Amino acid sequence: MKASRRHIIGAPLSGVPLQLESEASSSYQDFNDNFVGDDTDFVHIDDVATTDGAVHSKRKNPLLVWLDDRDYYLTELIRMDGRGDYTSDTCCQCNISAPAQFRCDDCCDMQLYCQNCVVVNHLRSPTHRIKEWTGSFFRATSLKNLGLRIQLGHAIGEKCILPRKAFNNSFVLIDTNGIHEVSVDFCGCERSQTHTKQLLRMGWFPSTSTDPRSAATFRLLQHYQILSFESKSSAYEFYHSLVRISDNTGLVKNDRYEPFMRMVREWRHLKMLKRFGRGHDPAGVRGTKEGECAVLCPACPQPGKNLPSDWKEAPKAKQWLYSLFIAIDANFRLKRRAISSDEVDPSLSMGWSYFVEEKKFKAHLKEQLSETQEKSSCSNHNAVNMAETKQSQGLAATGVGTVDCARHNFKRPNGVGDLQKGEKYVNMDYLFFSTLRDNCLDALNVSYDIACQWHKNLWSRMKSLPDSHHISYLDVFIHFFVPKFHLPAHVNKCQTVFSFNFTRFVGRTDGEAPERGWSNINPVASSTKAMGPGCRRDTLDDHFGDWNWKKVIGLGASLAHKMREAVTETADHEAAFREFDAAISSDHRSAWTVEMEKWEENPNDTRFTNPLERKSIQITQAAARLKLAEMEAQELAHGIDLSLHPDISPSVLIASGLDLEEEQRRVRRTSEGMGLHVSDIQKGTLARMRNVLRRKIEMWRSAQVLYMPAVQILTSTVVPAHHQPSDNTEDISLWLPSNLKSKPCDSRLRDHEWDLRYAQAHDSLEELRQCLRVHCSMLTFKREWVRGQGSNTRAQNALARVHAQQVACTRRYRVAWEALNTLAPLLKKERWQGRLQDLKDEDVKPLVDPFGRETEGRRRLTWIWMMAGVDTADDGGDVDGVRVEWCKSRARAMRWAEEVQLLHEEMRRVLQFLDWQANWWDEQRDRRDCVTPAEHEGLVSYANKQADIRRRLAVRFRLLWATYLPLSGAVPPPDDFTEFPDLMLPDL
């Protein structure tokens, strides 16, 4: 038997082999299969040796093994507070009589050195933490106190002939291991540079550009930037963690929080400018244009960067591949309190990346203050109707609005702006047209959760914007959508006209991209809400840039995963549609195809009917009874009266029998729900219900025997198995025509029962579907809103009632199905089972399960929602419902096929964009005239590094996509491909 997966803790004792649970049958390969490394939870050996040499037999939890070693670990930790094995008074490095009483906490060396040796050893590590042995314990000291002076502007060990001390010989350096006071000598000789340059060339970032008295190391600023991206920790928390690392007693006061915040902002800003080639541009930083410092989506169409040169002349059948997908949304978690102002705290980048330029934005909002926003004519959307009532007391911004790439979840350049009072059109219009300002594409797909209302007067509202924000909407095909998750909250018309599922040339886009990004940025809200306006915008810009860059390096895996899924789903849905399509008549197929194609061309054109909306009236019992009554009225008008009872006609007899049958089921449910311990009140209620039912059956029976004489014989000769004791009135057989089977019965009565049973089956299915809808809605409501034991109990009781009704509908349908199955051969009914089928438990599923994983584009309908194959029935059948489901099945197959084509195009665009960007960086190397060779070498080196990263990314993606783009895999990987560099944004 193969050994189970276990974990090996510790090393085996010398000479003691590892023992598997079944040593005789386990092979060497078995051992390799079960050795899974140090990060698993269990051991798989009989004996393990711990650090103290003890042997623990068959311990399987490493934590339990460690518990026995706690004393040993604790002893070693305490031992570190003494000198350990290094108790000699002589320095081990210089071997002189100077006392060895200093140890470094940051060096991998526990030995003690004399004062001079410690200073010499730390000429290149001036921020290490030193401890001094006082004779009884170690006390923290600093290299400054020991005499270490840091000479700037010269190589290590080289003296300056004219050193200049920092002001008051006090300089604070912030590093990853704490906040340090250091002795700094600036260079004052003929080769000296400004103090700021001397610090920067040392790798220290000065807190000010004039007479700096504190600085932070580059590695600290980079460390915090990465940490803030991944953990969303605030600068306040990070800085005070450094304070506690330096001194956890609170006895030392050295507050540099404000300079630290300033350095963090400046560092982020400079890194942004560096990454986007502003240091290589002869125009410098001031030549930066709006939106120029945003990480672009390589998979979206970027004219001049990743589109073919003749893309505008592409065939019409291919032009849709060059459409731009964008999504609009608002986030009300990213608030900002009314703190500071733009004058006191301006943004360092003036609309250069994701936020729009603030002055122009606010000027436009001020001009539109008097404009009133129209109310929603769709559902009661709070985003529209309550935009003016959003709570804004004490807030300068109630949130942010964003425009994202809808397919790849990138923040768009100049697509982010503050909201002052809810999700008003004036704010979202400005963001929408700002991000499209330089767009020259011919097709645009826009997703917005209130698109059905927002798009109505969009072009008239555009006229109020600056001319630079206008787009030629008559020359661009623009389609508006509602994201798939938000769509069910809209009215029925919106659920087809604005649906991604039923619109051509959108693939499997869902429009929910912004919602996925909020989970990444929302943790920053707690710190940014108390920032000034400029600091907040710069911080969010930095986080959005990191988000976009991580999306870039993740495109290889994400597009490969989407393609694998799309290829599989395309085959499955095409096969499902072909199977469905084969059951449809050629006349209907051609007619429905034409109808669907006309509607797809222009879904808003009222000349074309919507093929996804049902037009026929569903079959109901009430309608069937009305039809039978009208037929009897026509017979009476012609002097034909087949009634044998003055008050009860044949159709009324059968209809009353079905009513009695339903009442029997109701009494039976009451009886079954009594439980084991029944009270007298419950018994009395049940007895009264049975008595009333018995009297109704007896009255009905008196009329039944007139029309069905065989019933009188059956009721007198029935066997006990079919005729229960008299106290169980709900079990009395009613002997409807379907129960008589081969017994003589008027065919007219059988026809009446067929019509009523057929309608009863449809009624039961419709009620069952309604129960499933209600049950899903209640479950969703309970999960989202119900809290507390009392509320949960009430909700659970309501769910139980709906479930009981669902069970009753299922039973009623099955009775009707059995009756129809019996009557069909007697009445020679053919091709009726395509509409109605045997209802199995697995068929009772909701149309859209809120807790399931299937969406509209993936779902497989059970027959109760589709009821296919009836379009050629003699009586017309449910052709309307079949047409709707046929159109939906066709749309699902088409969307998946389009997705495969879109993904192929996106893969091609990504590779072309990376190649373009690598070549762009190659062109940046010699653009700027440099004063010194060192500056030129730095520019060339950085441009080469950036180009190399893009080319290596392209090679990586080609390898990942080789299965789907075989021609793109021809480029071999570099020799050192296994040492792929870290591509996180701050390392660029």
Side-chain angles (χ1 to χ4, degrees):
M1 179 181 68
K2 192 171 182 177
S4 58
R5 298 178 73 87
R6 301 297 175 96
H7 173 52
I8 298 179
I9 297 296
L13 294 174
S14 177
V16 180
L18 295 170
Q19 300 293 318
L20 298 177
E21 289 179 348
S22 180
E23 186 178 72
S25 61
S26 296
S27 64
Y28 177 76
Q29 184 61 41
D30 290 334
F31 172 75
N32 286 338
D33 288 345
N34 289 283
F35 184 83
V36 292
D38 290 339
D39 58 346
T40 49
D41 295 328
F42 301 102
V43 296
H44 179 56
I45 53 177
D46 289 337
D47 297 327
V48 291
T50 58
T51 48
D52 59 357
V55 177
H56 298 265
S57 178
K58 290 187 180 296
R59 262 188 223 287
K60 296 187 177 181
N61 189 327
L63 188 61
L64 298 179
V65 175
W66 178 84
L67 287 177
D68 292 341
D69 294 333
R70 283 178 296 183
D71 289 330
Y72 175 79
Y73 275 72
L74 187 58
T75 300
E76 288 298 314
L77 288 178
I78 296 175
R79 184 176 182 272
M80 297 281 290
D81 283 299
R83 291 178 294 173
D85 297 330
Y86 308 104
T87 57
S88 173
D89 291 334
T90 303
C91 176
C92 64
Q93 183 169 316
C94 60
N95 292 318
I96 60 177
S97 59
Q101 55 188 16
F102 299 99
R103 186 170 74 190
C104 179
D105 277 352
D106 296 311
C107 289
C108 294
D109 184 4
M110 300 303 295
Q111 296 187 81
L112 274 68
Y113 298 88
C114 65
Q115 179 175 342
N116 184 62
C117 288
V118 165
V119 172
V120 171
N121 292 344
H122 288 86
L123 290 174
R124 288 176 172 80
S125 307
T127 60
H128 278 199
R129 295 167 296 170
I130 307 300
K131 288 184 177 178
E132 178 183 5
W133 179 251
T134 63
S136 57
F137 65 94
F138 279 106
R139 175 184 291 159
T141 185
S142 68
L143 288 167
K144 177 183 178 181
N145 293 337
L146 299 180
L148 175 65
R149 300 199 66 83
I150 304 168
Q151 177 62 61
L152 303 181
H154 293 267
I156 298 295
E158 183 181 329
K159 298 291 185 180
C160 178
I161 60 174
L162 194 61
R164 295 181 178 177
K165 294 182 180 180
F167 178 81
N168 203 26
N169 195 29
S170 175
F171 195 90
V172 175
L173 181 62
I174 308 174
D175 202 358
T176 54
N177 61 350
I179 303 170
H180 310 273
E181 286 194 12
V182 294
S183 296
V184 171
D185 289 337
F186 291 99
C187 173
C189 63
E190 70 281 357
R191 54 188 285 189
S192 66
Q193 301 284 346
T194 64
H195 289 188
T196 301
K197 276 192 177 182
Q198 292 182 47
L199 290 170
L200 289 171
R201 292 182 180 181
M202 187 69 174
W204 298 357
F205 197 94
S207 61
T208 64
S209 56
T210 56
D211 192 19
R213 302 179 188 180
S214 57
T217 62
F218 286 5
R219 64 172 168 265
L220 167 79
L221 295 173
Q222 183 171 343
H223 176 77
Y224 170 66
Q225 192 177 23
I226 286 283
L227 184 68
S228 67
F229 291 151
E230 296 301 320
S231 71
K232 306 298 185 278
S233 63
S234 67
Y236 180 88
E237 294 164 337
F238 180 77
Y239 176 80
H240 283 85
S241 69
L242 296 176
V243 171
R244 295 188 62 185
I245 290 173
S246 305
D247 175 62
N248 203 20
T249 64
L251 298 175
V252 179
K253 299 296 182 183
N254 199 349
D255 190 6
R256 290 293 192 279
Y257 173 65
E258 286 190 11
F260 173 71
M261 280 292 297
R262 188 165 57 248
M263 288 184 282
V264 167
R265 284 188 66 187
E266 293 169 356
W267 172 265
R268 284 171 165 164
H269 182 68
L270 290 173
K271 292 289 280 187
M272 177 193 72
L273 295 172
K274 179 184 176 185
R275 292 179 198 123
F276 293 96
R278 301 315 308 156
H280 294 71
D281 194 325
V285 174
R286 294 192 181 276
T288 308
K289 301 175 183 177
E290 291 183 27
E292 194 172 357
C293 295
V295 179
L296 300 178
C297 174
C300 283
Q302 310 279 356
K305 299 179 177 67
N306 64 3
L307 291 184
S309 57
D310 60 345
W311 67 272
K312 279 187 174 289
E313 287 75 39
K316 187 175 181 181
K318 193 178 179 182
Q319 286 179 355
W320 69 274
L321 291 172
Y322 307 131
S323 302
L324 177 64
F325 292 80
I326 63 174
I328 306 172
D329 198 18
N331 184 336
F332 294 103
R333 291 283 300 278
L334 295 174
K335 300 178 175 66
R336 188 181 78 81
R337 294 173 183 165
I339 297 172
S340 190
S341 65
D342 286 301
E343 290 73 23
V344 177
D345 181 35
S347 173
L348 300 182
S349 58
M350 295 163 286
W352 292 346
S353 49
Y354 305 98
F355 269 88
V356 292
E357 205 283 316
E358 192 69 10
K359 289 183 180 178
K360 297 177 184 176
F361 183 41
K362 287 187 175 178
H364 173 72
L365 297 179
K366 188 175 181 180
E367 292 174 359
Q368 305 300 315
L369 281 177
S370 59
E371 295 294 326
T372 303
Q373 183 162 306
E374 58 266 27
K375 298 300 182 181
S376 171
S377 60
C378 181
S379 298
N380 188 25
H381 295 304
N382 290 341
V384 180
N385 295 341
M386 302 185 69
E388 300 282 353
T389 62
K390 191 76 177 176
Q391 290 294 327
S392 59
Q393 184 176 1
L395 297 175
T398 58
V400 297
T402 66
V403 183
D404 294 32
C405 157
R407 283 189 59 81
H408 315 103
N409 203 1
F410 281 69
K411 288 288 179 289
R412 295 267 309 168
N414 293 139
V416 183
D418 284 336
L419 305 176
Q420 287 71 42
K421 195 157 186 170
E423 198 170 345
K424 297 178 68 175
Y425 289 168
V426 62
N427 297 72
M428 308 311 288
D429 291 347
Y430 191 92
L431 301 181
F432 173 71
F433 289 109
S434 291
T435 196
L436 293 176
R437 190 167 40 195
D438 300 322
N439 178 68
C440 59
L441 295 170
D442 295 333
L444 183 64
N445 297 308
V446 184
S447 171
Y448 191 13
D449 52 12
I450 53 173
C452 59
Q453 306 300 308
W454 171 75
H455 87 289
K456 287 182 178 178
N457 300 306
L458 180 62
W459 310 123
S460 61
R461 297 198 303 269
M462 182 184 71
K463 296 176 182 177
S464 66
L465 291 163
D467 292 341
S468 59
H469 288 59
H470 290 191
I471 64 174
S472 242
Y473 61 91
L474 295 177
D475 300 328
V476 180
F477 179 78
I478 302 180
H479 205 127
F480 297 94
F481 298 91
V482 174
K484 289 182 179 178
F485 181 79
H486 293 78
L487 196 59
H490 290 247
V491 296
N492 289 335
K493 182 180 179 182
C494 293
Q495 295 184 26
T496 53
V497 174
F498 295 96
S499 173
F500 279 104
N501 290 316
F502 309 128
T503 304
R504 291 187 303 172
F505 307 138
V506 296
R508 286 286 301 148
T509 312
D510 60 15
E512 298 289 357
E515 301 292 345
R516 301 185 183 97
W518 295 141
S519 61
N520 173 73
I521 198 64
N522 279 343
V524 183
S526 59
S527 57
T528 57
K529 69 181 178 183
M531 291 181 179
C535 182
R536 172 174 169 273
R537 288 197 296 274
D538 292 344
T539 301
L540 291 178
D541 270 342
D542 198 39
H543 280 271
F544 291 146
D546 176 68
W547 171 262
N548 279 12
W549 175 249
K550 286 192 289 187
K551 286 292 180 184
V552 170
I553 61 178
L555 278 174
S558 64
L559 291 184
H561 171 75
K562 288 180 180 179
M563 180 63 87
R564 281 194 298 271
E565 182 182 39
V567 169
T568 302
E569 293 290 341
T570 299
D572 290 346
H573 283 279
E574 284 182 350
F577 176 66
R578 283 195 298 269
E579 182 181 355
F580 195 170
D581 192 53
I584 305 301
S585 67
S586 58
D587 291 341
H588 280 154
R589 184 184 301 112
S590 57
W592 294 348
T593 302
V594 171
E595 187 179 3
M596 188 67 176
E597 288 176 348
K598 286 181 178 178
W599 180 80
E600 286 174 334
E601 284 291 334
N602 195 344
N604 292 305
D605 195 332
T606 55
R607 294 177 300 169
F608 306 124
T609 58
N610 186 343
L612 296 166
E613 292 181 355
R614 295 180 66 96
K615 303 175 183 64
S616 63
I617 300 174
Q618 296 181 354
I619 300 172
T620 63
Q621 279 185 278
R625 293 188 183 192
L626 175 61
K627 181 180 178 182
L628 292 175
E630 289 173 347
M631 289 172 60
E632 289 179 353
Q634 291 176 1
E635 290 174 349
L636 290 173
H638 289 83
I640 303 172
D641 186 6
L642 301 176
S643 299
L644 301 178
H645 192 281
D647 299 322
I648 301 177
S649 66
S651 63
V652 172
L653 175 75
I654 303 300
S656 301
L658 297 185
D659 291 340
L660 290 172
E661 188 179 69
E662 179 61 27
E663 195 163 344
Q664 283 183 314
R665 282 193 288 268
R666 191 179 304 113
V667 174
R668 187 176 294 110
R669 285 199 303 271
T670 303
S671 176
E672 292 172 351
M674 290 292 188
L676 296 176
H677 306 286
V678 185
S679 67
D680 291 341
I681 295 177
Q682 291 175 313
K683 290 179 180 178
T685 301
L686 180 60
R688 284 192 295 273
M689 291 175 66
R690 283 174 170 166
N691 292 338
V692 171
L693 178 58
R694 180 179 293 277
R695 284 193 291 271
K696 289 181 180 179
I697 291 175
E698 289 175 352
M699 290 176 62
W700 177 78
R701 185 81 79 193
S702 63
Q704 182 190 25
V705 296
L706 296 175
Y707 292 97
M708 303 166 62
V711 171
Q712 192 166 9
I713 301 173
L714 289 170
T715 54
S716 60
T717 61
V718 69
V719 295
H722 293 84
H723 188 70
Q724 299 298 326
S726 58
D727 56 341
N728 291 335
T729 313
E730 63 272 20
D731 296 324
I732 296 176
S733 179
L734 298 179
W735 298 111
L736 290 165
S738 57
N739 300 128
L740 297 179
K741 297 183 180 178
S742 59
K743 300 292 188 297
C745 182
D746 190 345
S747 61
R748 188 181 182 87
L749 294 175
R750 284 181 173 144
D751 282 332
H752 288 337
E753 185 179 5
W754 172 272
D755 291 338
L756 291 170
R757 288 289 191 187
Y758 191 80
Q760 183 186 45
H762 279 276
D763 256 1
S764 300
L765 282 180
E766 180 57 33
E767 191 174 348
L768 174 60
R769 289 190 287 262
Q770 186 63 25
C771 287
L772 290 171
R773 293 189 191 98
V774 172
H775 197 264
C776 288
S777 300
M778 292 177 69
L779 274 176
T780 303
F781 181 84
K782 180 177 179 292
R783 181 181 62 177
E784 297 292 337
W785 300 103
V786 175
R787 299 293 182 272
Q789 183 175 351
S791 299
N792 269 287
T793 300
R794 288 190 293 273
Q796 198 63 42
N797 291 337
L799 283 168
R801 289 193 294 270
V802 174
H803 180 71
Q805 185 66 19
Q806 176 183 317
V807 172
C809 295
T810 304
R811 289 178 178 174
R812 188 186 314 123
Y813 173 82
R814 286 171 176 165
V815 171
W817 162 261
E818 289 296 333
L820 291 170
N821 234 1
T822 302
L823 292 170
L826 299 175
L827 298 174
K828 295 182 173 51
K829 296 284 185 179
E830 298 177 357
R831 295 191 300 179
W832 67 277
Q833 290 189 353
R835 281 154 280 174
L836 301 174
Q837 302 177 30
D838 187 14
L839 184 62
K840 300 184 174 123
D841 291 340
E842 56 266 26
D843 297 327
V844 184
K845 290 182 180 179
L847 182 63
V848 179
D849 189 353
F851 301 100
R853 297 184 177 181
E854 285 190 341
T855 58
E856 173 61 37
R858 302 170 185 270
R859 65 191 178 97
R860 307 290 195 276
L861 296 177
T862 60
W863 70 266
I864 66 171
W865 299 101
M866 186 166 61
M867 300 174 67
V870 299
D871 66 308
T872 57
D874 294 336
D875 57 355
D878 190 13
V879 180
D880 199 29
V882 176
R883 186 202 67 250
V884 170
E885 292 304 329
W886 181 87
C887 291
K888 289 182 178 180
S889 179
R890 172 182 176 273
R892 284 193 289 271
M894 290 180 66
R895 295 301 84 77
W896 279 110
E898 293 165 2
E899 180 72 6
V900 172
Q901 296 181 63
L902 262 178
L903 289 171
H904 272 293
E905 171 63 16
E906 287 170 352
M907 288 177 176
R908 186 202 62 76
R909 285 202 291 252
V910 170
L911 296 176
Q912 185 175 339
F913 183 89
L914 292 174
D915 291 341
W916 168 85
Q917 204 168 43
N919 294 332
W920 183 87
W921 274 110
D922 288 339
E923 295 170 359
Q924 304 306 305
R925 290 180 294 195
D926 301 314
R927 288 190 63 197
R928 182 175 172 181
D929 295 331
C930 300
V931 178
T932 65
E935 289 181 7
H936 180 262
E937 183 180 353
L939 291 173
V940 172
S941 175
Y942 186 72
N944 288 338
K945 173 186 173 183
Q946 292 290 342
D948 179 67
I949 287 175
R950 269 68 184 185
R951 291 191 173 101
R952 292 168 72 86
L953 274 176
V955 170
R956 171 75 170 174
F957 292 172
R958 284 187 175 95
L959 290 175
L960 288 171
W961 302 337
T963 305
Y964 309 106
L965 298 175
L967 296 178
S968 68
V971 180
D975 295 336
D976 58 343
F977 184 73
T978 54
E979 299 178 3
F980 199 74
D982 184 9
L983 295 176
M984 295 301 289
L985 181 60
D987 290 338
L988 294 182

